[in-house]
Amino acid sequence: MNPKQQRHWLHFGLLVLWISLGAILRLSRLVSLPPWTDEFATMVFSLGNSFQTVPLNQWMGADLLLYPLHPVSDSDIGSVVNHLRQESTHPPIYFVLTHLWIKVFPTDDGLVSLWGARSLSALLGIAAIPSLFGLGYLAFDSRLVGQIAAAMMAVSPYGIFLAQDARHYTLAILLVVASLSCLVVAIQAIHRDQPLSRGIGLVWVGVNSLGIATHYFFSLTLCAEGVVLLTQAWQQGRKDPQSLVRSHWRRIYAVAGGTLIGCIVWLPTLYSIYGSEPTAWIADGDLTREWLAPIGRLFIWGLSMILLLPTATTILPIWIVVISGIVTVLFVVSLIPRLGNGWKLQQHFPDRRLALQILWVYLGSAIALILGITYGLGMDLTLGARFQFVYFPAVILLLAGMLAGVWQQVTFDSASRLKHGKAIVAMIWLMGLMGGFTAIGNLGYLQNHRPDLLAPVIQEASQSAVFIATTHKHHGQTGRLMGLAWEFKRLSDRKGSETDRTASAQFFLADRDPQTRTYTDAIARLQNTLTELPRPFDLWLVDFRTTVDLEAQHCFRDRSYGSWAGEYKYKLYRCLPEK
């Protein structure tokens, strides 16, 4: 075997290693956490079911609450699309794929398989590893950059976090990588004064159209790519204004037109999303008082794409969080000059310099768009780590490009001890691996709601019958109670239901009047039903967003319980027999 073939097989073997490691990390402890609100939406809609089968303003058991999670034999893709259009704000592609995927898996005691629902996202996350290798090789004309990108993607805490969530973000990431690949090919063709091939142009339009049909925030990818192309047009126009009307630019205009057509069909849906109930939380913050918070969150989310030490403040001692923060800061400060040297080294290669320029403009444009929407429209896109998928591949690839320069670099310190760039790259990768373990151990990212943290509190505190009430705006609140019912079921199956009060817990969704936008009628109904229930019982108000007078129903607050658990806000009332 000649040296060229040996290098080929070495790269192939390394890529298989990164894919295997990434698969282990993404599939490990895949169902260690119960589903959270958005995952319930994925499962219900992907089954072709509706949240509207869950009754409002009445008490119900866990079986009725979880009924939308039962597969229905006559549901089809049409059912998926119809319920999404009526009850959700998301486009259908991922839900249709999940509908087809979960049919392969047997039910879990009659309910949809959680492992089945999450495994699709995990497999798509694994596919991002070789995809990023391909983009790195394509953009930098360097297998080394591709290997480092694949290695960092394999252990990325952010990548693992999204891959273990039954949501559409890993599919969106794959489409971002595919669209960026087409962008790189197009710009390389422009610099060679060659037209983009029709095949690549059609693929690019198809990828962009699928991206919008997967997640509407993919439009930020398209806008950022547009800025990259405008930058290239400006640079070329300064040298030769006539170049902008030649064939290699006309193909780009055709792709832009095709992409625009692929996006226009979603405009009515996009218009209806603005101000809708499921998305209203994005605009709940007060940026006049916390105007620096979005910038801080963006920095944290971006950093967590590379490294993440244990920082889950709700379940870890504060001293561990502080130490993790200090180590992270020191590591980042020591890393900056190394990356700067790697950047400078890559500037000596025209192809790599162009790749870094493309990625840097794309990343800066995407972040600027997110901040512009946040501050300009009052819709804070930094509140969710998952929304940062738009620039995630660019962060990993930029890092890989700079680390490839570091890898090939040898320097000496003041003590004349040899320091190899390879050792620095290995250390950064090991920090990423530690972040990967942090992610799968649920010690870094925390979902918005963790029913596994509140359910044991209720189970321990209640010695009487358990009743749980929440206020209802949309299916998000239904999903929060579903999470508790799901976790109660798991705990009772483990411990036995004979002495477990939560196994027979009852749930109440107090619905808001669509006309008055108040809960007056629902609260009256709740108070009336309390007088009919056999006593004693424990009433838990969970994320209850209105006032209610319970003392008139002889229910008294137990202040030894009542705070936050897993992002649920709760209060406990002991409802005693009347004398």
Side-chain angles (χ1 to χ4, degrees):
M1 185 180 296
N2 61 48
K4 184 176 181 180
Q5 290 176 320
Q6 289 179 340
R7 288 195 299 271
H8 173 80
W9 283 107
L10 174 62
H11 281 291
F12 178 77
L14 283 173
L15 185 57
V16 171
L17 174 63
W18 307 136
I19 294 172
S20 300
L21 178 60
I24 292 171
L25 291 172
R26 284 157 178 78
L27 295 173
S28 295
R29 307 184 75 242
L30 189 59
V31 292
S32 61
L33 293 181
W36 69 293
T37 304
D38 285 8
E39 288 186 297
F40 281 114
T42 296
M43 292 188 289
V44 170
F45 292 133
S46 296
L47 287 170
N49 292 340
S50 169
F51 281 95
Q52 293 178 358
T53 59
V54 177
L56 304 175
N57 296 333
Q58 70 178 60
W59 291 105
M60 63 186 140
D63 289 342
L64 184 55
L65 177 59
L66 296 176
Y67 180 78
L69 297 173
H70 289 267
V72 179
S73 58
D74 60 351
S75 67
D76 55 16
I77 292 175
S79 303
V80 176
V81 174
N82 287 335
H83 289 309
L84 272 173
R85 188 177 65 251
Q86 295 167 8
E87 302 176 44
S88 181
T89 58
H90 290 294
I93 291 296
Y94 182 78
F95 297 88
V96 170
L97 290 177
T98 304
H99 173 79
L100 300 173
W101 177 257
I102 57 179
K103 288 179 178 291
V104 178
F105 298 88
T107 60
D108 182 4
D109 196 18
L111 302 179
V112 63
S113 168
L114 178 59
W115 200 96
R118 285 178 174 168
S119 60
L120 176 60
S121 178
L123 290 176
L124 293 170
I126 295 166
I129 299 170
S131 298
L132 211 60
F133 170 84
L135 178 54
Y137 181 49
L138 177 68
F140 289 84
D141 191 25
S142 168
R143 287 189 177 90
L144 176 59
V145 174
Q147 289 289 355
I148 295 175
M152 296 305 301
M153 177 62 87
V155 300
S156 167
Y158 183 80
I160 294 168
F161 166 67
L162 292 185
Q164 293 196 321
D165 205 16
R167 297 295 283 166
H168 37 199
Y169 299 103
T170 50
L171 176 58
I173 287 168
L174 274 179
L175 293 169
V176 169
V177 172
S179 188
L180 283 176
S181 299
C182 295
L183 175 69
V184 167
V185 171
I187 293 177
Q188 289 173 344
I190 290 171
H191 279 255
R192 293 192 298 266
D193 289 332
Q194 297 175 350
L196 182 69
S197 73
R198 289 187 177 87
I200 296 296
L202 291 173
V203 168
W204 199 0
V205 171
V207 166
N208 292 342
S209 301
L210 282 174
I212 289 292
T214 299
H215 200 292
Y216 294 130
F217 286 175
F218 191 88
S219 57
L220 299 177
T221 292
L222 302 180
C223 292
E225 289 182 350
V227 174
V228 175
L229 288 169
L230 287 173
T231 302
Q232 294 294 319
W234 178 75
Q235 291 175 347
Q236 286 213 338
R238 289 179 60 191
K239 299 176 183 178
D240 179 12
Q242 294 300 317
S243 65
L244 299 181
V245 296
R246 292 176 186 157
S247 61
H248 53 281
W249 274 104
R250 289 200 297 269
R251 289 282 173 84
I252 302 297
Y253 303 148
V255 168
T259 297
L260 182 61
I261 293 172
C263 295
I264 283 176
V265 298
W266 299 104
L267 280 181
T269 308
L270 281 168
Y271 180 78
S272 67
I273 288 174
Y274 187 77
S276 65
E277 288 285 9
T279 61
W281 63 275
I282 297 177
D284 282 347
D286 185 358
L287 294 177
T288 59
R289 290 190 297 110
E290 302 175 348
W291 63 276
L292 277 177
I295 297 173
R297 281 192 290 267
L298 274 184
F299 176 77
I300 292 172
W301 301 146
L303 190 61
S304 71
M305 295 174 183
I306 304 165
L307 61 97
L308 178 69
L309 296 180
T311 52
T313 55
T314 57
I315 57 178
L316 289 173
I318 190 62
W319 63 269
I320 293 181
V321 177
V322 171
I323 291 175
S324 295
I326 293 173
V327 171
T328 299
V329 170
L330 293 176
F331 184 78
V332 171
V333 170
S334 66
L335 182 62
I336 291 174
R338 311 291 185 191
L339 295 179
N341 291 335
W343 176 281
K344 292 177 183 177
L345 182 62
Q346 297 290 45
Q347 297 300 311
H348 297 295
F349 303 91
D351 290 342
R352 299 179 189 180
R353 183 171 63 247
L354 176 62
L356 289 172
Q357 182 190 50
I358 293 170
L359 292 169
W360 183 249
V361 174
Y362 174 84
L363 175 61
S365 301
I367 292 175
L369 286 166
I370 289 172
L371 290 177
I373 293 171
T374 296
Y375 289 106
L377 300 180
M379 299 175 63
D380 194 346
L381 302 188
T382 71
L383 288 173
R386 55 196 183 276
F387 298 152
Q388 316 314 311
F389 74 87
V390 172
Y391 58 85
F392 171 46
V395 169
I396 297 296
L397 204 53
L398 269 172
L399 176 67
M402 291 183 284
L403 289 181
V406 174
W407 180 273
Q408 298 166 327
Q409 174 184 357
V410 179
T411 60
F412 292 87
D413 65 5
S414 58
S416 299
R417 292 178 299 179
L418 190 63
K419 287 174 137 183
H420 292 284
K422 295 178 181 179
I424 296 171
V425 175
M427 180 181 65
I428 294 170
W429 183 83
L430 287 173
M431 284 291 288
L433 179 62
M434 290 178 59
F437 288 131
T438 299
I440 64 176
N442 306 313
L443 299 176
Y445 293 106
L446 286 179
Q447 296 287 17
N448 290 348
H449 287 82
R450 289 276 302 273
D452 60 308
L453 298 181
L454 177 57
V457 174
I458 297 176
Q459 193 175 55
E460 177 184 351
S462 288
Q463 301 303 315
S464 301
V466 174
F467 291 81
I468 301 172
T470 191
T471 47
H472 178 268
K473 292 182 180 179
H474 51 80
H475 61 75
Q477 289 74 42
T478 308
R480 293 175 192 178
L481 287 196
M482 281 180 165
L484 287 172
W486 182 289
E487 186 64 9
F488 289 153
K489 183 177 183 301
R490 186 186 68 84
L491 290 175
S492 64
D493 288 346
R494 177 189 299 176
K495 297 180 179 180
S497 59
E498 293 79 5
T499 59
D500 184 4
R501 300 287 184 178
T502 60
S504 56
Q506 296 286 304
F507 302 88
F508 191 100
L509 284 157
D511 191 33
R512 187 169 59 176
D513 187 285
Q515 302 298 325
T516 63
R517 314 289 285 180
T518 66
Y519 292 98
T520 304
D521 293 340
I523 295 305
R525 175 63 180 159
L526 172 64
Q527 290 174 322
N528 289 335
T529 60
L530 292 180
T531 62
E532 302 169 0
L533 298 176
R535 302 191 177 219
F537 64 88
D538 290 338
L539 175 64
W540 295 79
L541 299 185
V542 177
D543 290 338
F544 210 82
R545 305 300 184 185
T546 190
T547 58
V548 55
D549 179 17
L550 293 174
E551 289 192 7
Q553 282 73 37
H554 215 64
C555 297
F556 301 99
R557 175 84 181 273
D558 185 342
R559 296 190 178 276
S560 59
Y561 293 92
S563 182
W564 293 83
E567 296 302 312
Y568 285 92
K569 186 177 182 181
Y570 67 93
K571 296 177 182 178
L572 170 60
Y573 288 83
R574 308 284 189 182
C575 297
L576 307 175
E578 297 185 14
K579 296 181 180 179

